[in-house]
Amino acid sequence: MKKLIHLLLILAALTAVYSCNGSSEQGGDTGQFKLLVSQQSSMEAAEGDQLTMSYYGTGPLVTDKVVFKDTKAGEEYVFPIISSADGKFSFTMDQPMPTGTYTIFIRRGSDEVLVGPVNFTLIVRVEILPKEGYNVYGRISCGDEGVAGVVVSDGVEVTTTDENGVYYLNSTKKYNLVWYSVPGGYEPVTVGYDGSAGGILPVIYRPLDGVPGNTQRADFEMVKAQETDNYTLFIMGDMHLCNRSNTGDMAQFRVFANELNQRVATTSGRRYGLTLGDMSWDIYWYENKFGLADYFKEMDTDVKDIIIYNTMGNHDNDFTKPDDFQKEQVYRDVLAPTFYSYNIGKIHYVVMDDIDYSGVDASGIDSSSGKLVSPDHRGEYTTNFTTDQITWLKKDLAHVAKSTPIILSTHAPVYRPNGVNAWKAGLGTSASHTYGSTADLVSALSGYTVHVFTGHTHKIFNYDNLASGKLFEHNAGSVCGSWWWSGHYVSGINLAQDGAPGGYTVLSVKGTDLSWVYKSTAYPETYQFRAYDMNEVKKVVTSGKYSRTNWEKYATAMQKYGSNIILLNVWNYDPSWKISVIENGKELTVSQVSEYDPLHIISESAFRDSFNTDSWVHHFKATATSATSTVTIRVTDRFGTVYSETMTRPKTFTTDAYSSSKY
């Protein structure tokens, strides 16, 4: 089967190329012409593959030829162009061309224009015969060797490769995709936003044609990975990239990306990334012309040297389409299946989509402005897993030993806080799907030790049920904080509504042992809590100071604090943490409370009437005996790391006092 390969490979420069006699004229019987063609540095193909390259402006003619020249060997390989339109031209590699370094030209008659050098790799495909009763098949290989036992799925059926790395599926092609679960000890090949090899996106799936009667072949290639049992995973919640001028989200994101690159560069061993959904912001797909493909381009441009697996969020759906499946299609086209699995070292990872738009109508947009028009159905999703996903999960896990730890990523929380130290189910069911709740998920995962990473809330909480239920949920915060607003209003302070700084989780894996830390962007890793002298907060958050809708609510809440109270926001707290406040050598009583974060109030809620400060459960308070005493605060995480502050009181309460620019 011929494979269409899009060779938008490492778009290093757009080079104007002219005829060898230097003419800049366009076309003509003399062969004088000019082209603006994408310059590539590498490509791979097998004999018979159809290859596609990009041009800008006027493209080649179908009577032109693509010429690969090996000047050292004095050889050239000539391929006729078979189509040229809409910025792309194609040719078929109808003869074998050895692996090597070539220079590409476009030839018209006796004239040629230079495109540039390329490193070419010849793929030799192993012949596989279709098998009766199966309509999707292929081979998964590493180098020349097929890899046995690799799990392959179309979203409904799950199978494994045989001893030659060959798989067969009898597929309904419901999801129009086939994908494989990267086995431990291997890594997928990756691609960049422009089709170039070596980008951030793992190539783990292939499109199908949606016609069950057609038989299709889909091969996958992997590379052997060194030392994948010990590695670091960078976990990134809600980014909401949308290129808004009123928040400067892209500039703020690049501060995060630069820090992440530095962290990746200074971290030993293998490094990977995982997003938790809402990488984009659906409404701005149309209003700002900034969608999932633009997120991919931005991420691939700004973030270096890691493979990033993606999870789908509610804002990564196309709201102009009806129903769940159609809303998801752009995501499948650009990034990944909405549910899939992979392995890194000894850990099995599962990605699922718990945003269910089944039965939800399309929302409209104004064709001229791209703005949303009534009715707005974007918020009418239900947080649950569709029946297909739970069924698929059970089939996937049938190939995973119970002793293997599971890391599940999904967007909306599986559990939610229900007051301080109480919990409730986070997933329900929809009218059209009575299956896929928290209980259904937990049942499917029964017998495994599971860590769940979720986003969606833009807050942080940790549900630790490892002792009895073998499950720990990390609702892992957001990169964008309060949708980039606080960082827009107050430079150096990017906070979520619970007061947690925008940031990411750093997960360290040693075999099957996990440890983690929340890293606040632009702060040192030791920045794990914020301490307030509430005597000083009450002087700032006063009635009548701002005319915002919720300001009086916050002022009233702050004024209710008694004298000499110390308030702590320990954003990544879980019940294994220890918190100590010492005054004059004496331990003060510390109580956990659900409260508003004062810094978020004055850096975001003071300026706008949406995305305002929420009362949240990772706050703690203690009462000192004096307004001027010095207190020592010690916070110890579950891994024994101690974070401390000596608070000299009165402690100033201003945005400058807490800005990341101080570090």
Side-chain angles (χ1 to χ4, degrees):
M1 180 185 72
K2 294 181 179 180
K3 179 177 67 175
L4 180 63
I5 303 178
H6 296 288
L7 295 176
L8 307 177
L9 297 175
I10 307 183
L11 191 54
L14 298 179
T15 306
V17 287
Y18 298 87
S19 63
C20 295
N21 60 19
S23 170
S24 61
E25 296 181 16
Q26 191 80 18
D29 294 337
T30 64
Q32 298 173 346
F33 64 104
K34 66 179 181 179
L35 295 170
L36 192 63
V37 180
S38 298
Q39 181 176 332
Q40 294 99 72
S41 66
S42 64
M43 62 176 68
E44 61 180 29
E47 182 180 359
D49 281 349
Q50 181 176 308
L51 305 161
T52 299
M53 299 175 68
S54 293
Y55 66 84
Y56 294 81
T58 302
L61 306 176
V62 292
T63 53
D64 294 342
K65 295 178 174 59
V66 180
V67 182
F68 289 74
K69 293 187 178 182
D70 181 348
T71 54
K72 289 184 179 180
E75 299 285 348
E76 69 175 34
Y77 299 86
V78 181
F79 305 102
I81 292 176
I82 58 175
S83 66
S84 181
D86 300 325
K88 297 179 180 179
F89 63 94
S90 299
F91 60 96
T92 300
M93 186 158 285
D94 54 7
Q95 58 178 306
M97 184 172 71
T99 295
T101 300
Y102 296 87
T103 303
I104 303 177
F105 295 84
I106 305 297
R107 179 177 292 169
R108 181 174 298 172
S110 61
D111 202 11
E112 292 178 343
V113 295
L114 170 69
V115 175
V118 65
N119 294 314
F120 175 78
T121 302
L122 178 66
I123 299 173
V124 179
R125 290 203 177 89
V126 175
E127 188 65 32
I128 307 171
L129 295 177
K131 185 183 292 186
E132 186 175 353
Y134 299 93
N135 58 354
V136 178
Y137 69 104
R139 184 173 184 260
I140 300 179
S141 59
C142 178
D144 295 332
E145 300 295 323
V147 182
V150 180
V151 175
V152 183
S153 180
D154 64 351
V156 177
E157 301 299 329
V158 177
T159 190
T160 58
T161 57
D162 64 17
E163 65 276 9
N164 298 310
V166 178
Y167 72 90
Y168 292 92
L169 282 169
N170 185 12
S171 177
T172 62
K173 300 185 181 179
K174 179 176 182 179
Y175 292 93
N176 293 336
L177 300 175
V178 59
W179 61 84
Y180 79 100
S181 184
V182 183
Y186 294 88
E187 287 180 348
V189 298
T190 60
V191 66
Y193 77 93
D194 55 4
S196 60
I200 63 168
L201 192 69
V203 181
I204 58 171
Y205 72 109
R206 303 287 189 199
L208 300 176
D209 61 10
V211 182
N214 290 347
T215 298
Q216 294 177 259
R217 176 173 175 173
D219 292 355
F220 297 96
E221 297 170 23
M222 304 184 298
V223 295
K224 193 70 175 175
Q226 300 297 320
E227 189 50 66
T228 57
D229 286 355
N230 303 325
Y231 57 91
T232 302
L233 180 68
F234 299 95
I235 303 173
M236 299 160 277
D238 306 49
M239 299 180 196
H240 288 274
L241 297 184
C242 55
N243 198 27
R244 298 180 77 189
S245 59
N246 56 352
T247 61
D249 61 303
M250 304 309 294
Q252 292 191 66
F253 172 76
R254 287 164 191 156
V255 172
F256 158 77
N258 288 337
E259 176 181 305
L260 180 62
N261 286 336
Q262 293 173 16
R263 184 65 183 258
V264 168
T266 56
T267 299
S268 61
R270 303 299 299 167
R271 289 79 43 95
Y272 303 88
L274 172 64
T275 68
L276 298 177
D278 283 4
M279 291 76 71
S280 65
W281 197 340
D282 51 357
I283 196 168
Y284 296 105
W285 291 15
Y286 297 95
E287 188 171 330
N288 285 358
K289 302 295 189 292
F290 194 96
L292 283 169
D294 301 286
Y295 151 75
F296 182 14
K297 179 178 180 180
E298 185 71 28
M299 200 74 167
D300 190 60
T301 301
D302 291 344
V303 177
K304 307 299 180 185
D305 299 327
I306 55 174
I307 299 171
I308 297 179
Y309 292 91
N310 287 287
T311 307
M312 188 177 195
N314 54 294
H315 288 290
D316 301 320
N317 284 268
D318 185 350
F319 65 86
T320 69
K321 300 296 190 292
D323 205 65
D324 192 55
F325 184 86
Q326 293 183 61
K327 283 178 164 66
E328 296 168 343
Q329 190 57 50
V330 173
Y331 184 91
R332 284 189 287 265
D333 290 342
V334 174
L335 291 179
T338 59
F339 56 97
Y340 60 98
S341 69
Y342 58 99
N343 299 272
I344 307 177
K346 297 178 180 178
I347 309 293
H348 185 66
Y349 290 81
V350 177
V351 176
M352 297 180 72
D353 170 27
D354 61 4
I355 304 298
D356 185 4
Y357 275 104
S358 297
V360 177
D361 290 337
S363 300
I365 56 170
D366 180 82
S367 58
S368 58
S369 68
K371 291 184 179 294
L372 179 73
V373 296
S374 183
D376 180 4
H377 298 296
R378 292 178 305 137
E380 296 177 13
Y381 57 84
T382 302
T383 54
N384 65 265
F385 296 108
T386 57
T387 303
D388 275 3
Q389 288 189 73
I390 296 294
T391 303
W392 166 85
L393 176 62
K394 292 178 178 179
K395 292 180 179 180
D396 178 79
L397 293 179
H399 300 281
V400 180
K402 294 286 188 180
S403 58
T404 301
I406 307 293
I407 292 181
L408 166 69
S409 64
T410 191
H411 185 56
V414 174
Y415 289 91
R416 285 181 178 266
N418 189 22
V420 176
N421 290 324
W423 302 91
K424 61 183 178 181
L427 304 178
T429 54
S430 68
S432 58
H433 290 83
T434 58
Y435 194 50
S437 66
T438 295
D440 296 323
L441 176 68
V442 171
S443 175
L445 294 168
S446 177
Y448 293 95
T449 298
V450 183
H451 285 262
V452 183
F453 284 89
T454 55
H456 191 52
T457 67
H458 291 235
K459 305 179 185 73
I460 297 177
F461 66 77
N462 291 291
Y463 170 66
D464 183 359
N465 193 32
L466 285 174
S468 57
K470 292 189 175 184
L471 186 145
F472 192 120
E473 178 171 3
H474 312 250
N475 192 238
S478 61
V479 171
C480 75
S482 298
W483 293 260
W484 304 108
W485 278 110
S486 68
H488 165 70
Y489 289 120
V490 183
S491 179
I493 296 183
N494 176 31
L495 302 179
Q497 293 158 287
D498 61 345
Y504 54 102
T505 298
V506 181
L507 179 71
S508 297
V509 180
K510 305 294 184 186
T512 58
D513 293 331
L514 309 179
S515 61
W516 55 89
V517 65
Y518 185 78
K519 176 64 177 67
S520 303
T521 303
Y523 290 90
E525 192 170 294
T526 53
Y527 189 66
Q528 293 295 324
F529 69 93
R530 192 181 305 117
Y532 301 103
D533 181 346
M534 294 306 294
N535 290 343
E536 299 304 302
V537 171
K538 289 193 292 182
K539 296 176 183 178
V540 176
V541 187
T542 58
S543 177
K545 191 167 185 176
Y546 292 95
S547 60
R548 301 268 65 90
T549 300
N550 289 318
W551 181 260
E552 292 304 311
K553 176 180 71 173
Y554 297 132
T556 299
M558 296 299 101
Q559 295 303 318
K560 286 182 179 179
Y561 280 89
S563 299
N564 306 330
I565 291 179
I566 311 299
L567 180 69
L568 309 178
N569 187 342
V570 188
W571 37 82
N572 204 29
Y573 171 84
D574 71 55
S576 295
W577 288 44
K578 298 177 182 178
I579 298 173
S580 171
V581 180
I582 302 171
E583 181 190 35
N584 298 324
K586 180 181 178 181
E587 287 265 1
L588 301 180
T589 300
V590 178
S591 57
Q592 186 175 359
V593 290
S594 183
E595 295 287 356
Y596 300 113
D597 180 79
L599 185 61
H600 190 270
I601 292 172
I602 65 169
S603 60
E604 199 272 354
S605 298
F607 299 101
R608 60 181 292 108
D609 292 325
S610 60
F611 307 125
N612 282 180
T613 315
D614 282 346
S615 179
W616 207 242
V617 297
H618 45 56
H619 289 82
F620 299 83
K621 67 180 181 180
T623 303
T625 61
S626 166
T628 59
S629 60
T630 297
V631 298
T632 300
I633 302 162
R634 291 170 58 88
V635 174
T636 307
D637 71 14
R638 68 186 291 123
F639 305 108
T641 304
V642 179
Y643 311 97
S644 63
E645 176 184 339
T646 299
M647 179 193 284
T648 302
R649 300 166 58 244
K651 180 182 179 180
T652 302
F653 179 62
T654 64
T655 53
D656 286 346
Y658 293 92
S659 173
S660 62
S661 63
K662 291 182 59 179
Y663 294 89

